[in-house]
Each structure stands twice: as C-alpha cells, then as structure tokens.
Amino acid sequence: MERAKHKGHFVTGLNSNNWYFVKPIFNNEMINLIHSVASNTPEERATEVDREGKLLEENLNNRSSSVCWINDIQVYEVLMDAIESVNDGSWQYNITGIESLQYTIYREDKRQHYSWHMDPIYYKDLTRPCRKVSCSVLLSDPEEFEGGEFEFMSIDLDDQTSSSFQPNFFNKKGHGLFFPSQAYHRVKPVTKGIRRSLVCWFTGPRP
C-alpha cells in the first residue's frame, strides 16, 4: 500500500502528510468478472444528489458519464477486506457497511467528466449511515484512454489560494484509491478512448 505525501493543506481541513492511500485491489480475473457483470447490467446516465441525498437537476457541465450498479458478493468481500486494512492503519473510522458499487464509464465522444465535488450525504434520518471513506478502482489500462485524470483540491492557508493535484501511484489497472469522502475531487474530461472504474463508499454511523 502506498501512502500519500502531499505538501500543503487538505481543502477540507485534514492537515496530514498521509491522508489518502493507493492499494492493489483486483487481479485480472476479478476485473474480468466485474466487466462481465456490468455488461449484463442496465447502463444509465449518471446523476447528482445534494448533501441530503435529493436528486439534482441534470447539468452535463458538472457531470457527464454512464453508470451501472454492481451487487456481487465476491467483489464486496474483497473491498471490505481492503478497507479494513487501510482504515485500521490510518483513520480508524467506525466503518460498518458499504453502498452499492458504481461501475462508471467515461467516453471520449462527449469529453465525459465529473467536475469538483464531495461524496458525503447527510440524510435527515440521523439513524442512516453516512459516507466516511470513498474508493475508486481503475478498471482500464492507462494506455486505453487519454485525459480522465483523477485530481484532488488543496488550499494554501497562507495566501488563500487553491490548486489541484493528481494522487501519486494511482496509475495502474486494479489499484484502488482510498480517501476521506469529504475531499474535493474530480475526473477531468476523457479525450480519447474509454475510462472505466469501480466507485464505492464505505459507511458508518453519524458522528
């Protein structure tokens, strides 16, 4: 597992040199299984929700991609083993579950992308779990597409300027990027080929 070393301040207030992690998750056999499940699952246009989980009006300037939803026990088990390893050695959040897995497709024809956003959803029902850790697993070889860079936002507290940066080590098929769900992040437009990833959110009780 690779730990991040980033100079500056995390935009959400976490000031740490080790706040995101990259870890090998899936071998080629598991990746092929995920692609197979996705190919037999209805594809739909990606949508956005607000901080309370309410569906927002479509805005293709913010988000443009296709998704389908994966529910496979083998995949869940691998991901839960991975978050246990990452979380125990870092944040030690109270993780109790995982949401449905989002198989995401970014295509070049419309320069598909996802602009700056955070992942937490705080439902009015306080008994519902909230997202604590997000994970994105690259399912395409980097040679299969151009553009589509995953970026975080950070801020310099001294001069109040913000900047974007790409996480180190997140450039291999089957590797997963784990980070706190409140981190601002984006996927830049894909300019050639198709970028496929599996996105998931690990949840736990509200603080």
Side-chain angles (χ1 to χ4, degrees):
M1 180 173 66
E2 303 287 356
R3 291 173 175 260
K5 291 185 178 180
H6 168 61
K7 296 180 180 179
H9 295 264
F10 187 27
V11 73
T12 58
L14 291 179
N15 184 11
S16 171
N17 288 331
N18 294 312
W19 57 264
Y20 72 81
F21 303 87
V22 176
K23 179 182 177 69
I25 303 298
F26 299 131
N27 58 27
N28 285 331
E29 182 179 358
M30 183 65 75
I31 291 173
N32 290 336
L33 170 65
I34 295 170
H35 286 320
S36 177
V37 173
S39 68
N40 291 290
T41 304
E43 188 176 308
E44 59 191 59
R45 185 176 293 175
T47 58
E48 295 181 275
V49 297
D50 65 15
R51 296 293 296 276
E52 295 182 350
K54 297 178 182 177
L55 186 66
L56 296 174
E57 183 177 345
E58 183 179 62
N59 184 343
L60 296 179
N61 291 323
N62 287 341
R63 187 179 192 187
S64 173
S65 62
S66 298
V67 301
C68 61
W69 300 95
I70 304 293
N71 291 287
D72 184 276
I73 188 62
Q74 298 178 72
V75 182
Y76 278 121
E77 288 176 347
V78 172
L79 288 167
M80 290 303 293
D81 286 344
I83 188 57
E84 181 177 356
S85 171
V86 173
N87 187 51
D88 287 353
S90 55
W91 311 293
Q92 298 185 353
Y93 292 149
N94 184 7
I95 301 293
T96 57
I98 183 173
E99 294 186 11
S100 293
L101 310 177
Q102 180 183 269
Y103 182 94
T104 311
I105 307 166
Y106 295 93
R107 296 183 170 91
E108 67 172 289
D109 56 345
K110 298 181 180 178
R111 293 177 60 88
Q112 293 188 317
H113 66 284
Y114 197 173
S115 60
W116 291 116
H117 65 285
M118 296 188 296
D119 292 338
I121 298 176
Y122 299 103
Y123 298 102
K124 289 184 177 181
D125 181 356
L126 299 182
T127 63
R128 292 188 64 172
C130 64
R131 293 173 176 176
K132 297 196 172 186
V133 177
S134 300
C135 175
S136 179
V137 184
L138 189 60
L139 299 179
S140 300
D141 281 314
E143 295 79 14
E144 294 176 355
F145 64 93
E146 294 179 6
E149 298 91 348
F150 187 107
E151 293 187 336
F152 287 119
M153 183 188 293
S154 66
I155 189 168
D156 188 320
L157 296 179
D158 294 327
D159 59 14
Q160 296 296 300
T161 59
S162 63
S163 61
S164 62
F165 66 97
Q166 297 176 25
N168 298 327
F169 321 114
F170 187 45
N171 56 5
K172 294 182 180 179
K173 181 179 179 181
H175 279 49
L177 171 66
F178 295 81
F179 58 95
S181 294
Q182 70 265 37
Y184 269 103
H185 57 285
R186 69 178 176 183
V187 176
K188 297 181 69 176
V190 169
T191 58
K192 183 178 180 180
I194 300 177
R195 180 188 190 275
R196 302 174 190 270
S197 62
L198 190 71
V199 178
C200 62
W201 304 276
F202 300 96
T203 62
R206 291 276 289 271

